[in-house]
Amino acid sequence: MSNHLLEVDNLHIEFRTRDGVAKVINGVSYHLDPGETLAVLGESGSGKSVTAQAIMGILDMPPGVITNGEIRYEGRNLLTMPEEERRRLRGKEIAMIFQDALSALNPVYSVGFQISETLRRNEGVAKDVAMKRAVELMDLVKIPAAKDRLKNYPHEFSGGMRQRVMIAMSLAQNPKVLIADEPTTALDVTVQAQIMDLLAELRRELDMGLILITHDLGVVADVADRIAVMYAGRIVEHADVHSIYAKPAHPYTQGLLDSIPRLDSKGHELSTIKGLPPNLLRPPSGCAFHPRCPMAQQVCQEKVPPSLNLGGGRTSACLFAEEILHG
Amino acid sequence: MLRYIIRRLLQMVLAFFGTTLIVYYMMFQASGDPIQALAGEKPVNEAVRAKLTAEYHLDEPFLVRYWYYVKGLLTGDLGNSLSGGRPIAEVLAERWPTTANLALYAFIFVVILGVGAGVIAGIRRGGIFDNTTLLLTLVVIGIPSFVLGLTLQLGLGVKAGIFPVTYMEERDGQFGLILPGFILGSLALATAVRLTRTSVAENLRADYVRTAKAKGLAKRRITIVHVLRNSLIPVVTFLGIEIGNLMGGAIITEGIFNVQGVGFELKKAIDIEDGPMVVSIVSILVVIYLLANLLVDILYAVLDPRIRYE
Ligand SMILES: Nc1ncnc2c1ncn2[C@@H]1O[C@H](COP(=O)(O)OP(=O)(O)OP(=O)(O)O)[C@@H](O)[C@H]1O
Ligand code: SF4
Ligand SMILES: [Mg+2]
């Protein structure tokens, strides 16, 4: 067994609801090492957040059921760990930030209270010390006049500043892994770039592993080391950033790349991937992407493509991966 | 915060003048002859007419008279009752404690049983406790409160003999007010259960709860510090408004158990058409409503920082 810091291994998750059983995660595997950034990419509903929630142990169960797989942190399987032990890892070893900081922060407590809360409750730090630390954290994420804003409430901050508060809060216990679930989706474009830069900088300074969940391939090029592309609860392609940008090895990744707006494409029509993501209550047979795949053949409807090892840590779950890459 | 409170106080003063003006007008002006309105349908002789005219400044313009009335209200000088001629303030000082006590019992039931059950039901939504309480609240909300009152009076009072059937202060003391208090509070209690339950259940699903979990906080802390604090905001509002309603409602419950509080006095005053007494009681109820609302608004701002800066 390889020794990664964090390893998701053949994870299967389904949601059992009144409408039926939705198989939402169907054998996801990815890993993260200290200090690196993994971007998890995919359309809405592909299972990025559910996987992250399973790592954090904050999945809604029920209706969610983890039917198979392991999530190992420093070699220990989180899924079989006693809840109390697992809770101590949350925030301290693995922390998470969310998309909409306004709803993700508690509206009735000051940001100082919320940033210092884990220090006071989980680490037994005295209140005044914890508050000082909160100011340091707010300085770290570059909130101006941090000390004066300690007593402010989340609704008194701008969207970008609020997301910084959330980041400061997640860093309170010096986690080794930070999961950022679409941290910039709710923000203006200029603010998006600032937050993304901040995350990259913090990752470097604090030597954290960063899992960056996004559906925007454009933003990851500068910050990510590796990319895992998800589709219908599977990792369809995984590779380092340069390889993927140079030559995708899966038609879905190709489609995503083609849909990035580029400066030189002004006036040209952006190509987007045709069709809708599959209904996971009744997923397509064979390759889940086949109804939308420009390269689909008859065999794609019959055979579920295995994850093919293309060398150099690169994988693709397409029956024609070799042809795409070398053809 | 201070500005918010000052603004609310000003609003309350306005509302006070507005409502008392309406009450005063309806009682003494709308009916034509104010003397007749004061005295009810009894014929009024000249001596009484002159006395009433002097006492209520009836030879002055309406607004001046209203001003005397408000001044009296604020200084506790409510004039004399038409029956027996005792000062109204004295009569009410005797009656209010009983009514306030009754309302207090009701309020305690609402807070402890209603909010308590609502919190538990909200946390264990879909469980046996939740379903049972939900059914009970439906029954209580569905039955008119005097039916529930008479039923419990018959069951627990007449048949089981646990509680006194009618209230006698010297005989029953505080204990005698428990059953009337429960009946008075029953509707608000049922509403409190449902409101609290919904609020708790909603907040348990909120994004900030997910964040709190991701922070590694213990479940107890998440429930008590994060979920309850947010869930109770609408509940506190409801409870505050209920203070006024319970005072008003006490007047009806008092009839069932023959509790000699303000309701008893009001009913008597209406029967013998004692205008000044009716106006005084109604005015004081209005003031209580207004104060309760002010209290709610301030509490609301304390609990929800988003309100303070609107
Ligand atoms: N609590 C839940 N109950 C039922 N189904 C759920 C629940 N949470 C997620 N799902 C389903 O799981 C699937 C994957 O959802 P997930 O949130 O992981 O998508 P995502 O890739 O994060 O998408 P987005 O970009 O929109 O955030 C979706 O089909 C969603 O409907
Ligand atoms: S397996 Fe077939 S349908 Fe699936 S991505 Fe490859 S070519 Fe397209
Ligand atoms: Mg998501």
Side-chain angles (χ1 to χ4, degrees):
Chain A
M1 195 200 298
S2 50
N3 280 322
H4 296 294
L5 178 60
L6 175 70
E7 207 167 3
V8 179
D9 187 1
N10 192 31
L11 189 66
H12 287 74
I13 298 174
E14 53 192 47
F15 283 101
R16 297 177 183 162
T17 61
R18 254 178 273 127
D19 306 331
V21 177
K23 299 199 167 184
V24 164
I25 303 297
N26 304 296
V28 162
S29 302
Y30 60 63
H31 64 86
L32 187 75
D33 287 318
E36 68 164 354
T37 303
L38 170 72
V40 178
L41 210 72
E43 282 170 308
S44 192
S46 55
K48 307 181 296 288
S49 298
V50 169
T51 309
Q53 284 163 12
I55 295 172
M56 288 306 296
I58 56 170
L59 194 62
D60 292 329
M61 301 200 285
V65 184
I66 298 179
T67 52
N68 203 353
E70 287 192 356
I71 298 172
R72 289 185 293 272
Y73 179 76
E74 291 183 331
R76 289 182 297 164
N77 186 0
L78 298 178
L79 300 181
T80 52
M81 194 178 268
E83 170 56 25
E84 191 52 28
E85 195 177 332
R86 195 170 182 198
R87 177 171 79 77
R88 291 180 198 289
L89 297 182
R90 267 180 225 141
K92 184 157 181 58
E93 300 291 326
I94 313 175
M96 185 162 176
I97 59 174
F98 301 92
Q99 175 177 333
D100 181 3
L102 184 59
S103 65
L105 291 169
N106 193 326
V108 303
Y109 291 111
S110 71
V111 299
F113 177 96
Q114 297 189 59
I115 294 172
S116 64
E117 189 177 15
T118 50
L119 292 172
R120 285 182 288 112
R121 305 307 301 187
N122 295 354
E123 314 234 314
V125 176
K127 191 178 168 194
D128 51 337
V129 181
M131 280 300 182
K132 277 209 192 81
R133 175 92 181 106
V135 175
E136 286 167 26
L137 286 160
M138 286 165 79
D139 283 333
L140 184 69
V141 298
K142 303 194 176 76
I143 294 174
K147 204 168 179 177
D148 304 329
R149 307 219 62 184
L150 204 58
K151 293 228 162 65
N152 284 170
Y153 292 90
H155 71 273
E156 297 173 84
F157 289 81
S158 68
M161 284 300 147
R162 210 153 37 220
Q163 191 56 278
R164 284 172 199 263
V165 168
M166 179 98 137
I167 295 170
M169 189 170 80
S170 72
L171 298 178
Q173 297 188 88
N174 301 311
K176 297 198 186 98
V177 173
L178 179 64
I179 303 176
D181 190 351
E182 310 204 23
T184 63
T185 309
L187 305 173
D188 296 342
V189 185
T190 46
V191 183
Q192 279 188 7
Q194 289 164 10
I195 296 288
M196 214 45 101
D197 290 346
L198 175 69
L199 280 174
E201 192 183 318
L202 289 170
R203 186 211 43 77
R204 227 178 12 250
E205 273 175 26
L206 307 174
D207 199 32
M208 291 182 297
L210 176 65
I211 295 179
L212 181 64
I213 297 172
T214 173
H215 44 223
D216 185 355
L217 192 49
V219 303
V220 302
D222 306 325
V223 285
D225 300 305
R226 291 181 290 113
I227 295 182
V229 181
M230 284 191 78
Y231 189 80
R234 283 198 172 80
I235 304 286
V236 293
E237 178 165 8
H238 169 255
D240 65 274
V241 174
H242 303 296
S243 312
I244 279 207
Y245 276 89
K247 183 101 187 143
H250 193 283
Y252 179 63
T253 317
Q254 182 68 58
L256 288 178
L257 276 174
D258 290 344
S259 62
I260 305 177
R262 284 174 202 275
L263 286 177
D264 57 2
S265 73
K266 269 215 177 92
H268 297 272
E269 201 163 302
L270 274 179
S271 76
T272 48
I273 302 169
K274 287 194 301 282
L276 292 171
N279 174 359
L280 295 172
L281 287 168
R282 260 168 279 109
S285 62
C287 173
F289 189 51
H290 85 251
R292 304 167 70 187
C293 180
M295 297 179 60
Q297 310 286 319
Q298 181 63 36
V299 62
C300 300
Q301 298 180 31
E302 291 147 16
K303 208 172 154 212
V304 179
S307 185
L308 204 65
N309 195 337
L310 300 169
R314 186 159 201 194
T315 64
S316 165
C318 171
L319 295 170
F320 304 103
E322 298 274 7
E323 286 89 328
I324 297 172
L325 205 55
H326 305 299
Chain B
M1 189 67 186
L2 192 66
R3 267 182 52 198
Y4 172 85
I5 294 176
I6 290 172
R7 211 173 64 211
R8 281 288 183 275
L9 265 172
L10 287 177
Q11 280 173 5
M12 185 189 135
V13 170
L14 278 182
F16 170 79
F17 283 113
T19 34
T20 49
L21 187 66
I22 292 171
V23 170
Y24 190 76
Y25 180 82
M26 288 203 307
M27 199 59 206
F28 294 125
Q29 209 63 24
S31 57
D33 181 359
I35 300 262
Q36 205 61 59
L38 274 169
E41 279 165 16
K42 296 186 295 280
V44 185
N45 66 37
E46 274 316 306
V48 174
R49 185 170 280 274
K51 183 172 163 288
L52 285 178
T53 304
E55 191 175 335
Y56 290 92
H57 311 280
L58 292 179
D59 39 3
E60 311 256 15
F62 175 74
L63 279 179
V64 175
R65 276 175 358 222
Y66 168 71
W67 175 246
Y68 280 116
Y69 153 76
V70 168
K71 215 170 93 185
L73 200 59
L74 292 177
T75 53
D77 174 16
L78 301 171
N80 292 330
S81 158
L82 289 190
S83 67
R86 281 178 70 199
I88 293 176
E90 197 182 298
V91 176
L92 290 183
E94 247 172 61
R95 301 296 184 195
W96 272 112
T98 310
T99 301
N101 242 340
L102 184 58
L104 180 70
Y105 279 110
F107 194 69
I108 291 172
F109 277 120
V110 175
V111 172
I112 295 181
L113 289 185
V115 178
V119 167
I120 297 172
I123 292 172
R124 309 202 184 138
R125 212 160 61 109
I128 296 173
F129 183 86
D130 182 28
N131 286 324
T132 315
T133 43
L134 217 54
L135 195 73
L136 280 175
T137 59
L138 275 180
V139 171
V140 171
I141 290 171
I143 300 177
S145 64
F146 72 92
V147 175
L148 185 78
L150 293 173
T151 311
L152 290 182
Q153 189 183 33
L154 183 70
L156 298 176
V158 179
K159 293 254 171 72
I162 303 172
F163 294 105
V165 177
T166 57
Y167 176 72
M168 280 166 66
E169 196 175 347
E170 316 77 56
R171 186 194 63 194
D172 303 322
Q174 297 293 309
F175 178 74
L177 290 174
I178 292 179
L179 185 60
F182 179 77
I183 289 160
L184 170 58
S186 60
L187 185 61
L189 194 157
T191 315
V193 172
R194 299 180 73 93
L195 181 69
T196 311
R197 168 191 183 269
T198 311
S199 184
V200 167
E202 235 169 53
N203 276 285
L204 277 171
R205 281 192 308 256
D207 283 356
Y208 70 78
V209 172
R210 194 188 52 189
T211 311
K213 276 187 209 155
K215 281 164 84 172
L217 296 174
K219 204 169 171 185
R220 263 180 78 90
R221 173 151 182 109
I222 297 177
T223 308
I224 295 171
V225 174
H226 288 267
V227 174
L228 283 193
R229 170 68 190 275
N230 276 284
S231 309
L232 292 183
I233 293 172
V235 177
V236 165
T237 312
F238 169 77
L239 290 179
I241 292 165
E242 277 309 306
I243 294 177
N245 284 341
L246 288 175
M247 287 285 187
I251 286 166
I252 298 165
T253 315
E254 281 175 10
I256 301 177
F257 288 90
N258 198 31
V259 177
Q260 316 222 329
V262 175
F264 173 85
E265 202 58 47
L266 180 67
K267 187 167 178 303
K268 202 171 81 185
I270 292 172
D271 284 347
I272 63 171
E273 305 192 8
D274 183 347
M277 180 66 95
V278 175
V279 172
S280 297
I281 292 177
V282 172
S283 302
I284 291 172
L285 274 178
V286 166
V287 172
I288 289 173
Y289 266 92
L290 290 174
L291 284 175
N293 271 325
L294 179 73
L295 185 75
V296 168
D297 284 342
I298 292 174
L299 262 180
Y300 197 23
V302 169
L303 286 178
D304 191 341
R306 287 164 296 185
I307 302 300
R308 290 173 219 166
Y309 307 90
E310 62 186 9

